[in-house]
Amino acid sequence: HPPFFLGAIYERSGRPGAAVSAYKRALEINPTLIHARLNLVQVLQSMGRLKEALKFAKEATDREPGIAERHYLVGVINTALKRNADASAAYAVALAVEPGFTEAYVNNDAVLLQLGELEKCREWAQRAVVQSKMGNINFWTNALQRPPAFISGLESLPWHDPANFPWTKTLEAAFPVMRGE
């Protein structure tokens, strides 16, 4: 497929417009050429042409619905477009296809938080905990844990030196009263 290889050459030589044209030509010749479609999505994303990239990414999911990464890509582009509900739906499909897809859990959590869907966040986080316990992922150990801040084996400690902040002792001493409020 010469247009596909030409697109790759243009892409690597810093000519994204020419790469887009070549990849589109490759798809005209052979619409099943998935790598031309995925490369086209990548170039369009790098050019900031997200709506067009989304169109081709959705076509990739239509052609290969059983591949979680295709749905994840649709989610990523929808996230960039601030279409968080659509992004969450795409991440959910990716997780239905591949329940151990860590990045899809993380991204789904982020968009659900932005949507204010806290119950759905907790539900998906609990699914991630189950996948961790099954050994499919080694990431989420508690449904209340926010994954981007989690490093396995790292103990959570305050980042400040209490000696530099004398008011922290007063604040910590008042904690039971504040909690009661």
Side-chain angles (χ1 to χ4, degrees):
H1 300 288
F4 169 75
F5 293 115
L6 193 56
I9 291 167
Y10 287 144
E11 185 178 353
R12 286 180 183 83
S13 64
R15 297 177 58 197
V20 167
S21 297
Y23 288 138
K24 285 182 176 180
R25 179 68 183 129
L27 291 170
E28 288 172 10
I29 295 168
N30 182 357
T32 65
L33 196 58
I34 194 69
H35 292 292
R37 192 172 311 282
L38 296 174
N39 287 6
L40 176 58
V41 170
Q42 182 178 349
V43 173
L44 290 168
Q45 281 181 283
S46 73
M47 296 173 73
R49 293 166 55 180
L50 298 177
K51 289 180 182 176
E52 193 175 357
L54 181 60
K55 172 188 173 279
F56 287 101
K58 285 181 176 180
E59 289 175 4
T61 62
D62 291 343
R63 292 192 175 276
E64 297 183 320
I67 297 181
E69 288 82 3
R70 307 292 182 257
H71 300 282
Y72 177 77
L73 180 59
V74 169
V76 167
I77 297 169
N78 273 314
T79 300
L81 288 167
K82 308 250 186 277
R83 296 177 179 171
N84 292 335
D86 292 338
S88 179
Y91 295 135
V93 174
L95 289 163
V97 172
E98 187 180 322
F101 197 158
T102 302
E103 294 86 353
Y105 282 110
V106 173
N107 286 11
N108 197 29
D109 181 69
V111 296
L112 288 171
L113 282 172
Q114 289 178 6
L115 289 168
E117 298 278 353
L118 300 182
E119 284 303 314
K120 286 184 180 178
C121 282
R122 185 168 304 210
E123 177 185 315
W124 280 104
Q126 191 55 50
R127 291 181 191 188
V129 169
V130 168
Q131 290 299 316
S132 288
K133 288 180 180 176
M134 292 172 59
N136 294 331
I137 59 177
N138 183 20
F139 193 66
W140 223 310
T141 58
N142 182 309
L144 297 177
Q145 159 193 344
R146 298 285 49 96
F150 177 70
I151 298 173
S152 185
L154 183 64
E155 185 179 339
S156 177
L157 297 172
W159 58 269
H160 67 280
D161 179 359
N164 294 331
F165 299 92
W167 53 268
T168 58
K169 289 182 183 175
T170 305
L171 186 64
E172 290 170 352
F175 175 75
V177 173
M178 289 187 287
R179 185 177 198 149
E181 295 174 349

